[in-house]
Amino acid sequence: MIEKTGGESVSTTAHKPQRLMQLIWRWHFYAGIIFAPFIVILSITGAVYLFKPQLEDWLYRDDYYIQEPQKQNGKLTPSMQVEAVRKVYPYGQITSYRPSDGPNRTAEVGVMDKGQSATVFVNPYSGRVVGQIKEDERLLEKIEKLHGELMMGTMGDRLVELAACWAMILVITGLYLWWPKEKTIRGALIPRLTKGGRIFWRDAHAVTGVWLSGFAILLILTGLPWSGVAGDLISKLATSTHTGYPAFAFVGGPKPESAKPTKQVADVPWAAEKVPVPESSGEATPLPLEQVMEIAKANQVASGYTVYFPEGDKGVYTVSLSADKPEDEMVLHIDQYSGKVLVRVGFSDYGWMAKVISIGIALHEGRYFGLPNQVIGLVVCLGLVAVAISGLVMWWKRRPRGKLGAPALPKDAKLTRGLTAIVIGLGLLMPLAGLSMLFVFMVDRLVVKRLPAVQQWLGA
């Protein structure tokens, strides 16, 4: 909710089309008032989730790590480790296995028991179960759900996507309002923090917002692939244009496929989520886990992968590696009887869109270049909180008593060609943004303007 531009109030910026300025300022105001709380929630939860690896290492250290590794005895075979878990959970279904990737690291066995999914941690040397964590009880899982859907399911997902859309509108309109009348540095690029009062809050809001604008746009765009509406369209576009997973991922030609996409049988990288799951053929004895791991090694799957067990007689083994660097990502679907690799999808196989999105997701989650990536993400998240709060403070200080204090609606509030292009562009990229912008414009133009009492309460 930037009130001034370059040290001059909006109302005195005579060289710019006054009506356009008022309209943009009004939209910026609406977006800030309605969605600032959502931006604060998303920024705080995002800042926490950035440090998921460190937080989970500390929270679950007794489950993740073995205090006294029995190196002299050597590790049990993967099948023996899984069997040890099966004895503790005789009525549970073993769903996955993640081998220990360090001398003091436990192995992880996924179990579906009494309708609940859990990860069981087993000492790879002794086979002793050292602990379990139910997936819906993980703190970072709850943070992720709050960040992605506000703990409200589909409705929350749509609200988060709408908030992200209007955050983009806030950035675009904010940059327009900020553009200084005179090219001065102080107040435009350097905040005047010693001035106090409204100048302090204006610069804390506007200048901080300008410096963070590029990062904010990057965060919004890289978060869209997870969204319900825009994300589904992006996925369909990548699939239809063959810029997502490759057709030649099906080694040796097309195979009989189930109706399931890969994301329904395994936790896989974004680019492989929609890959159809092939089916195993034959009725022989399923391969042992050790042989599946040898196949993964032969296909140069790096450590840190997880093996997902077949679902039924036609199911396949799925090997998935969601690495910090997308370049190491890999997904294999393996015939559970013959050991034939039916599907192999790695980063080098991705189409250009899948590559861009995968790198974007890694940057968004703070994984791509380690701690510096996390620190930059943290600074951006905290900066966005500061921008949102300072904008609310500015509004609270300037609002007339008993009124909302929105900028006045221009007498002739028409969509200019430029604004029309922006609406169409945002509508193509973020459908909820385009629809909601049209809705707000129509309400402002056709409803508010015809209700003097409402217009008086809204207006400054």
Side-chain angles (χ1 to χ4, degrees):
M1 295 174 295
I2 300 175
E3 184 183 1
K4 299 183 179 181
T5 61
E8 297 290 326
S9 67
V10 171
S11 60
T12 62
T13 315
H15 75 290
K16 294 185 177 179
Q18 186 67 21
R19 286 175 295 183
L20 178 60
M21 178 69 74
Q22 283 183 303
L23 184 61
I24 290 177
W25 188 18
R26 189 174 176 90
W27 281 18
H28 188 80
F29 175 85
Y30 282 156
I33 285 291
I34 297 172
F35 292 105
F38 292 96
I39 292 173
V40 171
I41 293 172
L42 294 178
S43 297
I44 293 175
T45 53
V48 174
Y49 196 79
L50 281 168
F51 294 90
K52 177 183 178 179
Q54 294 92 329
L55 289 171
E56 289 203 326
D57 268 3
W58 178 74
L59 288 170
Y60 308 121
R61 56 191 179 279
D62 292 336
D63 296 316
Y64 282 4
Y65 298 101
I66 306 163
Q67 302 305 318
E68 297 179 1
Q70 299 164 307
K71 299 178 184 178
Q72 67 276 13
N73 298 330
K75 292 181 179 179
L76 302 176
T77 65
S79 293
M80 293 172 69
Q81 296 172 35
V82 170
E83 188 59 32
V85 174
R86 201 186 305 274
K87 289 179 180 179
V88 178
Y89 299 87
Y91 301 106
Q93 178 188 357
I94 303 298
T95 58
S96 65
Y97 172 77
R98 183 182 187 276
S100 166
D101 54 6
N104 65 334
R105 190 71 164 77
T106 57
E108 300 179 15
V109 180
V111 177
M112 180 64 71
D113 188 39
K114 298 178 181 179
Q116 288 190 313
S117 177
T119 299
V120 178
F121 301 89
V122 57
N123 186 320
Y125 301 99
S126 66
R128 183 176 68 87
V129 172
V130 300
Q132 73 148 17
I133 303 174
K134 294 179 180 178
E135 296 307 313
D136 58 1
E137 292 181 357
R138 287 178 180 265
L139 175 62
L140 272 297
E141 285 294 317
K142 295 179 179 180
I143 294 292
E144 183 182 17
K145 283 190 175 182
L146 182 59
H147 182 76
E149 57 187 42
L150 303 174
M151 297 286 196
M152 296 170 60
T154 301
M155 180 180 291
D157 174 84
R158 301 299 186 268
L159 282 173
V160 168
E161 183 174 352
L162 194 60
C165 292
W166 279 89
M168 179 72 82
I169 294 169
L170 274 168
V171 172
I172 294 172
T173 55
L175 288 173
Y176 182 89
L177 295 173
W178 161 84
W179 192 261
K181 179 181 178 182
E182 298 177 0
K183 298 299 185 288
T184 57
I185 294 179
R186 290 186 61 81
L189 295 175
I190 299 177
R192 295 163 292 182
L193 301 180
T194 59
K195 291 290 185 179
R198 294 176 67 179
I199 292 179
F200 169 85
W201 290 109
R202 179 269 174 202
D203 286 8
H205 179 75
V207 178
T208 304
V210 167
W211 282 106
L212 294 178
S213 58
F215 295 101
I217 291 173
L218 180 64
L219 280 179
I220 295 167
L221 294 179
T222 54
L224 285 179
W226 287 300
S227 61
V229 178
D232 187 56
L233 291 176
I234 291 171
S235 181
K236 288 179 179 178
L237 178 63
T239 301
S240 63
T241 58
H242 304 292
T243 54
Y245 69 84
F248 59 81
F250 294 87
V251 179
K255 299 293 184 298
E257 298 173 8
S258 69
K260 294 181 179 179
T262 297
K263 67 178 181 179
Q264 290 188 12
V265 301
D267 183 11
V268 296
W270 181 89
E273 286 184 344
K274 294 295 182 70
V275 174
V277 179
E279 295 180 343
S280 294
S281 57
E283 298 180 355
T285 302
L287 297 175
L289 181 56
E290 290 77 13
Q291 192 167 342
V292 175
M293 294 172 65
E294 285 297 323
I295 294 171
K297 183 178 180 181
N299 280 269
Q300 300 179 329
V301 183
S303 63
Y305 65 83
T306 299
V307 178
Y308 293 87
F309 288 82
E311 295 183 356
D313 295 337
K314 295 293 185 180
V316 294
Y317 281 106
T318 299
V319 177
S320 174
L321 174 61
S322 298
D324 288 344
K325 288 187 175 296
E327 291 86 347
D328 296 329
E329 292 177 353
M330 183 70 70
V331 173
L332 306 177
H333 287 309
I334 303 169
D335 188 300
Q336 65 170 305
Y337 306 113
S338 68
K340 187 174 183 178
V341 177
L342 304 177
V343 173
R344 183 184 188 278
V345 181
F347 183 83
S348 60
D349 304 315
Y350 295 172
W352 69 265
M353 185 179 291
K355 288 180 178 179
V356 170
I357 290 173
S358 297
I359 293 174
I361 289 173
L363 288 169
H364 188 99
E365 293 185 333
R367 299 186 277 111
Y368 196 58
F369 50 92
L371 185 60
N373 194 166
Q374 292 175 306
V375 171
I376 292 173
L378 177 63
V379 171
V380 174
C381 287
L382 295 180
L384 291 176
V385 172
V387 170
I389 292 177
S390 59
L392 291 174
V393 170
M394 288 170 61
W395 160 70
W396 188 260
K397 284 180 171 292
R398 66 170 290 278
R399 69 182 182 92
R401 185 179 298 274
K403 295 183 180 180
L404 183 64
L409 180 67
K411 293 181 179 180
D412 187 16
K414 294 181 179 180
L415 277 177
T416 64
R417 290 181 181 178
L419 280 178
T420 302
I422 291 174
V423 171
I424 293 174
L426 287 174
L428 292 174
L429 179 64
M430 300 180 291
L432 291 184
L435 290 174
S436 59
M437 285 181 74
L438 285 174
F439 175 78
V440 169
F441 179 80
M442 297 304 291
V443 169
D444 224 6
R445 180 83 172 116
L446 301 178
V447 179
V448 173
K449 202 168 185 178
R450 287 170 168 74
L451 298 174
V454 175
Q455 188 174 357
Q456 185 178 8
W457 178 77
L458 286 174

